[in-house]
Amino acid sequence: MVSSANPLASLAGVDVLRAGGNAMDAAIAAMAVLGVVESLNLGLGGDCFALYAPGGGSEIIAYNGSGRAPAAAQADWYRSRGFAEIPAAGPHGVTVPGAVEAWDRLAADHGTCGLDELLRPAIHYADEGYPVHDVIASWWPADVEKLRADPEAARILLWDGQPPAAGTIHRQPDLAQTLRRIGRERSAGFYTGPVADSIVRHLRAKGGLHTLEDFAGHKGEYVTPISLDYRGYRVHECPPNGQGIAALIMLGILRDFDLSAFDPRGADRFHLAIEAGRLAIRDRDRLVGDPETAGDWRKLLEPVYLSSQRAKIDLACAAPPVPPASLPMGRDTCHVAVVDRDCNAVSLIASVFYNFGSGLVAPGTGVVLQNRGCGFVLTPHHPNEIGPRKRPLHTIIPALVSHAGRISHSLGVVGGHYQAWGHTQVVTNLVDYGYDVQEAIDAPRVFHNGANVELEPGLAPEVRTELTRRQHRVVDVSETSMGRLGGGQLIAIDWEKGTLAGAADRRLDGCALGY
């Protein structure tokens, strides 16, 4: 089974499985297709993280495919030029993209197919075209001005200066050529040679600090996953520089509350989630960054510390304000969940951060460049302060859930800051309330965005009234710039029946497909 945010990607993954490929092969093929058909969300110019459970066992393999800042990226360089933050648009937010290296490494180490074979569906859609799906078409207009500012981005991603409408056939032949080169030369075809040369020249022409050496030297890495027990289920996340630790903190705070005693769509349940989430995001922003330079974030999962945070929650009233989340509010990500015939399970996530990332496209390559670097801060001595070859704090997080020593779920929820909240809400939907996989993904969501509590449609009016009475500042999602709270994919393994159950979020264009 494959679940993704677009039916063309899900179908590509299923085709790989039916042809004999394994879960890692299918996940990479599906993600590469998403990089074409949802290029505002992800692509060759973005980053990725992966969790992989061979045979569905609880020994989890994690890969950090996030890129680094240029070697010349000294914080004082930005401060001396009057930067108060790293800009979201333009060259300074561009870190070296990590996705291509990660796909290459994961396919070589854990797949059964060559990268050239896995990229064929993406090449087909880039060359022959794909129909722009409804949700993606509805987001595209918000970034017209950003795309117009870069002639190459405007040439490829706008038609006569306007975004393509839903149902329009969109082709990206330059991107197809880059994908072919990667298929032939593997990651070297991206990080060295003409593609890297075009990217670096474009960035430097815009004032960036990037060099060919920054690209040629890029490597992702295998990392040790982090996990936490939640009522007999173990939730596995990638460690920092991702924010998976925030999801574990939230679950660790909530596990001593009897959530099953509360209405799953009631104010009590959401009040507790809001309060736990505010504490978790405060700690994320305070201590999480590149693990090579950040502080001791491991203490955040210690039982004594979690108990101390739990004691700060008053069921009757919101706590005083905590510092707002410092990370910019990029929300554009894609996740793929896959389980194959041997119960190998993959949770793979990728992103260019904001819609169309930095708004820059390297000439002749079709590569939309991410803006993950705007996740850095310029506060001196902060763990997430920008620095040479550092990786920024990331919002994107894959997850796997195990029970009794075997994987029970492959899970991902997209949506920037919301992702840690999404993991928490979906897991509690499954474990505390017994929702099936589609119910768990589709249920109305609540999110504290640093200032306000966002409520999705579908909750009773009394929920808003009661949360307001408890001193929360509540707004409807339709009143925010987001227009939705994330998306998500989920596959459950029923080991007794020998079956899979899949779900894809109604908030997106995708579907779960299996056979």
Side-chain angles (χ1 to χ4, degrees):
M1 182 169 284
V2 180
S3 179
S4 84
N6 187 285
L8 300 179
S10 296
L11 181 60
V14 167
D15 284 345
V16 168
L17 294 176
R18 291 175 70 92
N22 70 8
M24 187 62 73
D25 297 320
I28 293 168
M31 192 64 80
V33 169
L34 287 168
V36 176
V37 304
E38 296 203 356
S39 54
L40 88 172
N41 281 334
L42 79 155
L44 302 181
D47 284 347
C48 79
F49 291 82
L51 291 172
Y52 177 51
S58 59
E59 294 298 319
I60 311 298
I61 296 167
Y63 197 81
N64 182 330
S66 64
R68 298 175 183 268
Q74 298 280 355
D76 285 342
W77 187 92
Y78 299 93
R79 288 192 285 260
S80 69
R81 287 161 174 77
F83 287 92
E85 58 188 17
I86 305 299
H92 298 302
V94 180
T95 50
V96 176
V100 173
E101 191 274 346
W103 297 351
D104 186 8
R105 184 81 175 275
L106 291 167
D109 292 351
H110 305 290
T112 65
C113 303
L115 199 58
D116 57 342
E117 182 178 351
L118 299 180
L119 296 182
R120 282 176 194 159
I123 293 168
H124 168 77
Y125 291 118
D127 244 345
E128 301 298 324
Y130 68 95
V132 177
H133 281 68
D134 293 345
V135 172
I136 294 298
S138 72
W139 297 343
W140 213 305
D143 295 281
V144 167
E145 293 306 316
K146 179 165 73 172
L147 297 173
R148 285 176 179 166
D150 184 70
E152 188 72 358
R155 180 180 72 84
I156 294 171
L157 299 168
L158 298 176
W159 290 9
D160 296 325
Q162 300 301 319
T168 302
I169 300 298
H170 182 226
R171 296 178 175 87
Q172 301 184 67
D174 289 350
L175 181 58
Q177 290 299 328
T178 300
L179 286 162
R180 285 192 182 94
R181 181 179 293 277
I182 294 168
R184 292 191 307 268
E185 303 174 17
R186 297 179 52 181
S187 59
F190 183 84
Y191 295 98
T192 63
V195 175
D197 184 64
S198 176
I199 294 173
V200 170
R201 281 190 288 108
H202 196 50
L203 290 172
R204 292 190 73 85
K206 300 279 187 180
L209 303 176
H210 309 73
T211 67
L212 289 172
E213 290 75 19
D214 291 325
F215 276 71
H218 171 75
K219 295 290 182 186
E221 62 178 338
Y222 287 103
V223 292
T224 302
I226 55 177
S227 65
L228 180 132
D229 180 81
Y230 186 78
R231 310 197 203 289
Y233 288 81
R234 183 154 288 273
V235 181
H236 306 264
E237 303 273 356
C238 288
N241 53 313
Q243 66 161 335
I245 190 170
L248 299 184
I249 294 169
M250 291 179 68
L251 290 166
I253 291 172
L254 291 172
R255 66 185 171 188
D256 281 350
F257 292 100
D258 183 9
L259 294 189
S260 64
F262 301 125
D263 180 348
R265 296 193 178 197
D268 288 333
R269 184 259 177 111
F270 291 126
H271 171 77
L272 288 174
I274 293 163
E275 295 299 279
R278 293 171 68 202
L279 293 168
I281 297 303
R282 176 207 62 190
D283 285 345
R284 181 202 71 179
D285 289 349
R286 182 168 56 93
L287 289 174
V288 175
D290 189 320
E292 294 177 5
T293 56
D296 186 12
W297 48 266
R298 292 172 181 80
K299 70 179 184 181
L300 301 176
L301 297 180
E302 293 177 356
V304 172
Y305 182 76
L306 293 171
S307 293
S308 72
Q309 301 310 293
R310 194 176 304 116
K312 296 177 180 179
I313 295 179
D314 181 349
L315 187 58
C317 186
V322 298
S326 63
L327 197 63
M329 294 295 283
R331 304 173 186 267
D332 299 293
T333 302
C334 283
H335 175 263
V336 175
V338 185
V339 179
D340 67 21
R341 61 181 60 79
D342 298 315
C343 289
N344 298 307
V346 175
S347 181
L348 180 64
I349 199 163
S351 174
V352 293
F353 201 24
Y354 281 38
N355 278 7
F356 299 109
S358 63
L360 302 178
V361 175
T365 70
V367 175
V368 177
L369 296 167
Q370 66 181 20
N371 62 341
R372 275 290 163 189
C374 73
F376 285 118
V377 300
L378 289 171
T379 306
H381 312 300
H382 190 284
N384 198 36
E385 181 186 17
I386 194 169
R389 295 193 176 94
K390 281 186 69 174
R391 294 165 292 186
L393 169 62
H394 260 267
T395 54
I396 62 174
I397 49 174
L400 291 172
V401 182
S402 61
H403 180 65
R406 298 187 292 191
I407 294 299
S408 59
H409 300 85
S410 175
L411 163 67
V413 179
V414 304
H417 284 305
Y418 177 74
Q419 292 183 48
W421 297 72
H423 284 203
T424 301
Q425 286 180 258
V426 171
V427 168
T428 53
N429 283 344
L430 292 166
V431 175
D432 292 292
Y433 300 114
Y435 283 11
D436 68 33
V437 289
Q438 195 66 54
E439 287 177 307
I441 286 285
D442 283 349
R445 294 171 175 171
V446 172
F447 172 53
H448 194 286
N449 64 19
N452 303 316
V453 171
E454 299 180 12
L455 295 185
E456 280 194 327
L459 295 172
E462 305 87 75
V463 174
R464 177 174 184 151
T465 300
E466 181 58 24
L467 290 176
T468 301
R469 189 191 69 78
R470 299 189 200 189
Q471 306 301 308
H472 296 290
R473 185 176 175 181
V474 181
V475 297
D476 294 329
V477 163
S478 60
E479 298 172 7
T480 72
S481 61
M482 188 173 188
R484 75 202 192 291
L485 288 180
Q489 288 74 39
L490 178 61
I491 296 176
I493 304 175
D494 189 321
W495 290 89
E496 288 188 10
K497 296 177 182 175
T499 56
L500 305 174
D505 204 306
R506 61 181 173 80
R507 300 164 182 84
L508 304 176
D509 289 316
C511 63
L513 295 176
Y515 71 97

